[in-house]
Amino acid sequence: MARNALVLGGGGALGISWETGFLAGLQQAGVDVTGADLLVGTSAGSVVAAQIAQGHTLEELVARHLEHRPDGIESNMEFDVQNLMTIFQKWATLPEVDEAACADIGRMALASKTVSEDRWVTSFEELVDADWPARDLLLTAVDAESGKFRAWNRADGIEIRRAVASSCAVPGMFPCVGFQGRRYQDGGVRSGTSADLAEGYDAVLIVAPIGSGTLSIDPLLGRQAKAEAEVLKAMGIKVELAFPDEKSMEAIGPNRMDGTRRPQSVEAGIRQGSELAPRLEAAWSKTPA
């Protein structure tokens, strides 16, 4: 039987909303990808991947984004704006992303003023359940000192909320997250999608909230996702890569941390996912487990 992988990329708080809506749109159109044999999550995608792997339904998750609720920690951030801009300028202009480049960003992240690590990790209690699921789930992060890549799984001994918090630790915006004497930053520093983790599967859906824009790190992460997709295709894997379209970009707006735009972001994702469903159906050949 065909083995499928779902790769969910980074994209801020509204990336979570848009990705959730996108998957719900696929499901509503008859293509349910939540039963993938492998779930890969990076940054925002780590939240959605963990929620799905833990058994939360897309209907339930969409409802969360549509309801009015107080802004989360992402809207009450304590950070140095100028420092954040400096980090993103450096990140956006990297000619290539290797361990040395990740370590350079990591050093800047470690020196940044942010909310406390405890507050950051605790904030994920309202998003992610406490236990690792039995399903194959990989959550990406990057060692902030060495630049080495890490794909967390349940065998690593890290609490899943801490793993998600590390994957979402945007450099300069949120604190690096510690585990076993090391500090970890956002997995998106290495790649916005890390779709290479899906090698060996028959069909791969890559959902990338960042990559279709022209500003900041969008071009870099877009090139990375496209390159990863092409490598997988060259292996004979059926690959579909989805970025936000123009209407979705308008719904998300310029600030991916603007919690007031959750409803329109999730709705834009639903629309776009439903439109993609017919093209994906032939490749996605199995129903949820």
Side-chain angles (χ1 to χ4, degrees):
M1 182 177 289
R3 298 171 70 241
N4 301 331
L6 175 60
V7 177
L8 300 174
L14 297 183
I16 298 174
S17 300
W18 180 78
E19 280 185 317
T20 301
F22 186 88
L23 300 181
L26 286 172
Q27 186 182 70
Q28 292 171 14
V31 181
D32 191 338
V33 299
T34 61
D37 298 281
L38 172 68
L39 293 166
V40 177
T42 295
S43 200
S46 74
V47 175
V48 182
Q51 290 172 332
I52 291 171
Q54 290 175 333
H56 294 280
T57 67
L58 290 173
E59 183 179 23
E60 168 198 348
L61 297 175
V62 165
R64 292 187 192 179
H65 292 275
L66 291 176
E67 69 184 10
H68 176 75
R69 58 189 176 91
D71 290 336
I73 193 172
E74 74 277 0
S75 299
N76 297 283
M77 295 175 287
E78 302 165 11
F79 63 88
D80 183 332
V81 174
Q82 186 58 51
N83 177 66
L84 178 68
M85 291 175 62
T86 299
I87 291 175
F88 269 69
Q89 287 169 357
K90 180 178 181 63
W91 187 1
T93 56
L94 289 173
E96 62 177 323
V97 180
D98 54 17
E99 286 186 1
C102 289
D104 284 343
I105 298 294
R107 280 190 287 273
M108 298 173 75
L110 288 167
S112 297
K113 175 186 176 182
T114 66
V115 298
S116 71
E117 180 182 341
D118 284 346
R119 185 183 172 203
W120 176 236
V121 174
T122 300
S123 72
F124 287 89
E125 291 180 358
E126 65 182 50
L127 296 175
V128 178
D129 297 339
D131 297 325
W132 276 92
R135 295 179 58 183
D136 285 338
L137 171 66
L138 298 176
L139 306 175
T140 71
V142 173
D143 189 305
E145 294 176 300
S146 70
K148 292 185 179 297
F149 179 60
R150 189 75 186 254
W152 304 113
N153 63 54
R154 63 180 177 272
D156 290 321
I158 186 172
E159 296 176 353
I160 189 168
R161 288 169 178 159
R162 181 166 291 273
V164 172
S166 72
S167 187
C168 293
V170 179
M173 184 175 293
F174 300 122
C176 296
V177 175
F179 180 65
Q180 294 182 341
R182 308 297 300 179
R183 302 291 299 284
Y184 293 90
Q185 62 182 327
D186 196 309
V189 174
R190 183 255 194 180
S191 165
T193 47
S194 286
D196 54 315
L197 294 175
E199 291 181 10
Y201 288 79
D202 299 290
V204 179
L205 170 60
I206 307 168
V207 185
I210 297 180
S212 58
T214 59
L215 301 176
S216 188
I217 60 173
D218 265 75
L220 171 62
L221 269 59
R223 291 194 303 271
Q224 289 177 321
K226 291 173 184 176
E228 290 167 4
E230 289 304 314
V231 169
L232 294 177
K233 288 178 182 178
M235 297 176 180
I237 299 169
K238 298 175 182 178
V239 180
E240 193 69 49
L241 171 59
F243 295 112
D245 61 16
E246 185 175 350
K247 290 181 180 178
S248 288
M249 290 293 286
E250 290 176 0
I252 293 169
N255 179 6
R256 292 184 172 97
M257 292 296 179
D258 182 0
T260 67
R261 302 182 73 89
R262 289 188 187 98
Q264 54 260 58
S265 297
V266 76
E267 288 170 351
I270 291 171
R271 173 196 54 78
Q272 197 174 341
S274 65
E275 292 174 358
L276 176 69
R279 191 163 81 238
L280 181 64
E281 187 171 12
W284 207 269
S285 58
K286 68 181 286 188
T287 54

